[in-house]
Amino acid sequence: TTAELLLELVSVEYHETIMARSGTSAEVARRQVMEVAPNGYLAVVEGAIPVGDDGVYCTVGGRAFSDVVREVCGGSAATIAVGSCAFDGGAPAAGGGLTGSVGVEQVVPDVSLVNLPGCPVNVENLAATIVHYLTFKTLPATDARHRPLFAYGGLLHNQCERRAHFEFGEFVQAWGDEGSQKGWCLYKMGCKGPETFANCPTARYAGGISWPVKAGHGCIGCTMAGFWDQMSPVYGRLPSPLPFAPQVSADQLGIALVGGVAALTVAHGTASAVRLHRRGVEERRAARLAEVGIDEGDTGAAEATEALEAIEAADEGDVDAGGAGASDEDAAEAATSDEASGPPTAATPPAPVTEIVDGAADAEGGAR
Ligand code: SF4
């Protein structure tokens, strides 16, 4: 369990909120770890890193948090960025932000890194990453954005327990309606599961008890890059990055149902929807290509489409074969076989001393 990992397997040498030492003594403890185990500890970073105005919006021990991250992560065996803020700036970077907040990757691009985006991060994925490192002396295979394939290699939609309702066209149409009470698909309530890569349906939260869709709320796509901007509005549908993606048929189903009672409205609405859909498809396609590390300018449009289709087809095939485990493995194979997506990253061994640096996850400013 996560508790056993933290209390029995690793030594947490520094964490601002749970360590006994405080103030200057805490900073001494941090420096001691770096001196005793150079390049031999794991640095776990939570929170966005403000770099605007020389990093004044978040300081630790009187120093800019960005400087502390460079120092600690630069001397680590490997770094794990937990949560969407540490991934790419998260909420503080939404809409451009005010503090110049970025993720760990932007501050220390050359370290051995695993990103665990999510809002909040799933602690099971953090525990699994650390256990993988302790067991195999290397970080797990990742995609081009350093997200481990065991957790982010499969499409959430394909692992969802409400998927059967999607296939049968059984959708929640309004909060509290019959479909909502019966646990039908939340696609029409803005669920971003068809556009999101994460293992939330299988890992779940709170010790495996539940996750948002099981609790009745659609996925908000929080594991995807720039999700606050890219996945908005939370309760509105987004067009698919792929023309053949299943949600297109669900939209068409909705239009067809309306058409029976309001033909003129449908004619106007359909034309608008097609224009918006086409524009949206292009934007989502570009975002998805960037996600998997494919440069359409290098590969050509046809090859890029084939690569995306291969990834989606692998996900579909995994569901047919049954089991999220198979899904992750095949998606990992598909992703790692694609040179454009970049090679898996790995770190060299050393001793399992863990250092946790807590950043500005929940506030843009404020000295610590
Ligand atoms: S659209 Fe959302 S609720 Fe429906 S099956 Fe996909 S992930 Fe599940």
Side-chain angles (χ1 to χ4, degrees):
T1 65
T2 301
E4 290 170 336
L5 172 69
L6 286 175
L7 298 175
E8 299 176 17
L9 291 179
V10 301
S11 173
V12 180
E13 297 293 326
Y14 178 92
H15 187 291
E16 295 150 358
T17 56
I18 64 173
M19 64 192 302
R21 300 167 80 169
S22 63
T24 303
S25 178
E27 295 309 301
V28 169
R30 179 176 60 77
R31 286 195 295 273
Q32 286 175 338
V33 172
M34 299 181 65
E35 291 170 4
V36 170
N39 300 309
Y41 56 86
L42 294 178
V44 181
V45 183
E46 179 185 11
I49 306 166
V51 297
D53 296 324
D54 297 324
V56 70
Y57 300 110
C58 182
T59 60
V60 178
R63 298 175 58 197
F65 182 47
S66 53
D67 288 344
V68 176
V69 168
R70 288 189 189 94
E71 180 180 80
V72 173
C73 298
S76 69
T79 295
I80 305 173
V82 299
S84 295
C85 292
F87 172 47
D88 64 0
L98 299 173
T99 59
S101 288
V102 297
V104 173
E105 188 177 2
Q106 286 76 46
V107 175
V108 281
D110 297 325
V111 300
S112 184
L113 174 69
V114 162
N115 280 319
L116 299 177
C119 191
V121 65
N122 191 320
V123 68
E124 308 294 347
N125 291 335
L126 173 59
T129 300
I130 295 175
V131 169
H132 186 287
Y133 184 83
L134 297 178
T135 303
F136 300 108
K137 309 304 180 189
T138 183
L139 291 173
T142 67
D143 63 15
R145 291 298 305 271
H146 304 289
R147 291 168 295 198
L149 296 172
F150 76 81
Y152 302 90
L155 194 64
L156 184 146
H157 181 60
N158 289 345
Q159 308 164 56
C160 179
E161 62 258 51
R162 300 193 185 211
R163 177 62 182 265
H165 295 295
F166 177 92
E167 300 297 343
F168 281 101
E170 296 174 336
F171 299 103
V172 176
Q173 305 282 353
W175 299 118
D177 70 2
E178 179 189 9
S180 180
Q181 295 172 31
K182 290 183 175 178
W184 287 359
C185 175
L186 294 158
Y187 174 82
K188 292 189 176 180
M189 304 306 288
C191 180
K192 305 301 187 297
E195 295 93 19
T196 300
F197 286 77
N199 63 349
C200 301
T202 51
R204 298 184 175 179
Y205 284 81
I209 292 176
S210 189
W211 67 292
V213 168
K214 185 174 189 289
H217 192 285
C219 165
I220 62 173
C222 67
T223 61
M224 305 303 285
F227 90 94
W228 287 105
D229 295 323
Q230 301 301 323
M231 292 294 183
S232 296
V234 168
Y235 298 109
R237 282 297 327 143
L238 294 175
S240 166
L242 291 173
F244 60 82
Q247 63 267 32
V248 173
S249 62
D251 276 346
Q252 291 168 340
L253 172 64
I255 291 173
L257 291 174
V258 174
V261 293
L264 290 177
T265 301
V266 169
H268 171 76
T270 301
S272 300
V274 168
R275 283 195 297 274
L276 287 172
H277 179 73
R278 284 176 178 164
R279 188 177 67 188
V281 164
E282 292 170 0
E283 293 172 350
R284 298 294 303 158
R285 173 187 166 83
R288 182 63 186 135
L289 286 171
E291 285 286 337
V292 298
I294 297 175
D295 187 338
E296 195 171 3
D298 291 340
T299 64
E303 286 76 7
T305 297
E306 284 182 9
L308 285 177
E309 289 176 349
I311 293 173
E312 295 294 328
D315 289 329
E316 294 291 339
D318 293 337
V319 170
D320 292 339
S327 173
D328 288 345
E329 290 171 8
D330 289 352
E333 183 179 344
T336 52
S337 65
D338 183 355
E339 292 183 2
S341 67
T345 59
T348 48
V353 180
T354 299
E355 174 157 356
I356 293 184
V357 179
D358 189 23
D362 49 4
E364 286 197 29
R368 299 187 177 200

